[in-house]
Amino acid sequence: MTGTDRRGWQDTAAKLAEERRWVDLWDLVRQRVPLVEADRVLPLFDERWRPDGPARPLFDLLAATPAGTVEEACATLTADPLLEIPVDGWIVTGSLSPDGRWLAVCTRGWTSIRRHELQVFDLDDGRQVARRAGDADSGVMLNKGTSIFGMDWIPPNPFLGLVRNATERTMLQPEEFSLIAALSWLDHDRFAVLARHYPRLGRDPEPAACHLTYYTGDGERIEEVTMEEDLVWGEQGLNILPSHMAADPSFGRLAVDGRTLRIIEPPCHVLARSPEQEHYRELCFLSPDRLAAAGNECLEIWQATGATLERVQGIGLRPRRRGHCPILIPQRQEIMFLDGTSDSNKGGEVRYVDAETLTDVTGSRELSDSIGVELWRTPDGSRHALATESAVHVVRDPAAGAVATLAERPPSTLRPADLPVFDSVRPATGPVRHLLALLRTATRLAWNGRFPGR
């Protein structure tokens, strides 16, 4: 809003208050005054006047809002959206906890000795809260703050096994020859493990069965099922497929790659399957029946139609050694990933595309123009992070800026489509919580088309 617009409604508000035209003043607040400034107009009303009907809750909430509260909330929401956490060592892999409070990182030492460490950070302030030595050079990890689930060697197992990285380093998946491909949270309290169990290893390994195993967030095994065979044998006879998995926490579904892409209802019911295709796809859910898959120098959208997964969209990508790490930013319905660069040693370039059309997003985003090695996010998408070689940049709240922008609009212009954005914000302060209550109340009234003056 321009300075001229502001002076216009301020002068009009003062005149209406002087003439005691409360209904017209209320109409002005709803239709022309940005919500961020509406709390400053409410003192002009006669303290005994109130509108009748559905608009009354919004008026009462605004009347109870101390002057400057919404402005303070917007300042909080538009503060630096990034938390930079320096990490000692080269970052191998990492993850954010489901509640968005903890970051766990596996690092390799700067020296030529392949020494690994696990480091845990509190995302409220970036403090390191735990650190311990480890041996694994794994690309998969989950963390819940107090418990870190990853892969490590514990003799006599010759493969990396699933370990809870507490002091006792408890082996959770102790099959003698178990090769783990992927881990994914189903929700805040359960996760799934995709692995192959080999009955015997040697020059001629026996065929391996692919398993899905389910655990509680504390590492207690719930159930294990055998998946139908989808193995592709490589030259060495140990090409392990499926190799990637993603979860949709809202519906509890899994997506698994392989010779076909599959959407699975746990424990192991295939809801939709693609035709046979080139394997090795990194996956993320865009909705319960829609996937983004990155690999083989392309990003594709796959849509479930009945029991068939069909490719509906695709764009080319530059190759990357460590993969493209696609994640969904649900607050803006954008896919974020790392595209290859001319210098493969520098990591990948952050790129944002529209989740519906795969067209590049215009305008600046939190991590635009950044270079990194991996992308991570919480299961619900409330936070995500970019790992560089020696630091992690955590996006505190992807929805915060969007909410602050909505607060600059008059209440009557809010729409039902804005409601999911409010639910995505992490209301860390009292003023932010109050602003969210105002926005929800105004949006529901506008949704019903009911803003009576009386």
Side-chain angles (χ1 to χ4, degrees):
M1 175 173 285
T2 67
T4 302
D5 292 335
R6 181 173 289 105
R7 284 194 300 273
W9 65 254
Q10 286 178 336
D11 292 343
T12 302
K15 184 179 183 199
L16 292 173
E18 182 180 355
E19 296 174 356
R20 303 181 66 80
R21 293 164 55 187
W22 309 126
V23 172
D24 294 334
L25 180 58
W26 179 231
D27 286 341
L28 178 76
V29 170
R30 292 183 288 105
Q31 297 169 11
R32 291 185 55 192
V33 179
L35 191 62
V36 69
E37 299 184 71
D39 56 347
R40 301 182 184 277
V41 180
L42 267 290
L44 296 176
F45 283 90
D46 186 299
E47 63 181 15
R48 294 167 296 180
W49 186 87
R50 292 291 186 274
D52 296 328
R56 176 71 178 267
L58 178 62
F59 184 94
D60 289 344
L61 197 55
L62 280 169
T65 304
T69 296
V70 177
E71 191 174 11
E72 180 183 345
C74 288
T76 299
L77 292 169
T78 55
D80 186 357
L82 295 177
L83 173 64
E84 181 178 355
I85 300 178
V87 176
D88 185 19
W90 295 92
I91 294 175
V92 177
T93 190
S95 73
L96 301 174
S97 61
D99 60 8
R101 182 177 176 186
W102 309 100
L103 165 70
V105 179
C106 179
T107 64
R108 186 174 71 239
W110 297 112
T111 65
S112 59
I113 301 174
R114 295 180 67 82
R115 173 175 170 269
H116 292 81
E117 284 191 333
L118 178 69
Q119 302 175 42
V120 182
F121 300 87
D122 186 330
L123 293 183
D124 284 343
D125 52 19
R127 288 181 304 115
Q128 186 181 92
V129 295
R131 184 171 186 166
R132 77 161 185 83
D135 300 315
D137 192 358
S138 163
V140 293
M141 174 191 287
L142 296 179
N143 96 77
K144 204 178 179 185
T146 54
S147 297
I148 312 297
F149 303 99
M151 292 162 63
D152 214 336
W153 279 288
I154 296 183
N157 191 350
F159 282 168
L160 291 166
L162 180 64
V163 173
R164 183 175 59 233
N165 285 311
T167 305
E168 74 279 8
R169 296 176 66 202
T170 305
M171 176 70 78
L172 300 179
Q173 193 132 322
E175 287 76 8
E176 186 176 0
F177 304 118
S178 177
L179 206 160
I180 294 173
L183 313 174
S184 285
W185 288 107
L186 283 172
D187 51 42
H188 283 208
D189 298 312
R190 296 177 303 152
F191 65 92
V193 179
L194 176 66
R196 285 198 177 277
H197 303 335
Y198 285 84
R200 181 177 63 84
L201 286 181
R203 189 168 293 179
D204 299 313
E206 294 183 11
C210 186
H211 291 254
L212 279 171
T213 311
Y214 298 93
Y215 291 88
T216 68
D218 296 322
E220 179 181 348
R221 187 182 296 207
I222 302 170
E223 183 177 10
E224 181 174 274
V225 293
T226 302
M227 293 183 64
E228 62 186 85
E229 192 55 52
D230 197 16
L231 180 63
V232 177
W233 292 93
E235 292 180 1
Q236 305 302 319
L238 289 176
N239 191 356
I240 305 303
L241 287 177
S243 56
H244 290 87
M245 180 170 65
D248 174 29
S250 62
F251 276 69
R253 293 177 176 177
L254 293 171
V256 178
D257 76 339
R259 282 189 311 213
T260 62
L261 296 179
R262 284 160 286 174
I263 294 179
I264 294 173
E265 182 80 31
C268 203
H269 174 59
V270 177
L271 298 175
R273 180 195 302 275
S274 75
E276 286 200 16
Q277 41 90 52
E278 292 294 326
H279 62 268
Y280 198 77
R281 294 285 199 273
E282 300 168 281
L283 306 172
C284 73
F285 274 95
L286 306 180
S287 67
D289 58 358
R290 194 174 176 88
L291 301 175
N296 296 343
E297 300 181 25
C298 65
L299 176 70
E300 302 171 336
I301 303 297
W302 291 79
Q303 175 72 50
T305 304
T308 302
L309 266 175
E310 299 176 337
R311 180 186 180 277
V312 295
Q313 197 88 13
I315 57 172
L317 303 179
R318 296 187 293 267
R320 275 205 75 225
R321 277 185 196 168
R322 293 181 65 166
H324 296 89
C325 310
I327 61 174
L328 176 68
I329 312 298
Q331 298 83 357
R332 300 191 296 257
Q333 283 300 299
E334 296 171 2
I335 303 170
M336 179 185 182
F337 58 92
L338 297 176
D339 211 351
T341 63
S342 56
D343 185 350
S344 60
N345 293 325
K346 287 186 176 180
E349 178 184 355
V350 172
R351 186 173 166 189
Y352 298 86
V353 296
D354 183 270
E356 184 68 28
T357 64
L358 294 186
T359 55
D360 284 287
V361 171
T362 59
S364 179
R365 294 292 185 260
E366 299 91 349
L367 292 164
S368 295
D369 303 320
S370 298
I371 300 291
V373 294
E374 282 194 1
L375 290 171
W376 311 315
R377 59 162 255 174
T378 56
D380 62 3
S382 60
R383 279 187 171 178
H384 61 273
L386 169 71
T388 64
E389 291 181 338
S390 58
V392 179
H393 303 268
V394 181
V395 178
R396 296 177 185 270
D397 194 338
V403 168
T405 300
L406 290 173
E408 296 174 359
R409 289 164 42 182
S412 64
T413 65
L414 298 171
R415 293 293 177 263
D418 301 321
L419 280 171
V421 178
F422 310 148
D423 295 333
S424 300
V425 170
R426 305 170 65 85
T429 68
V432 171
R433 286 191 290 271
H434 195 84
L435 170 58
L436 291 172
L438 283 169
L439 285 166
R440 288 191 183 98
T441 303
T443 300
R444 289 180 181 124
L445 287 172
W447 187 352
N448 294 330
R450 294 181 295 179
F451 264 114
R454 291 177 174 81

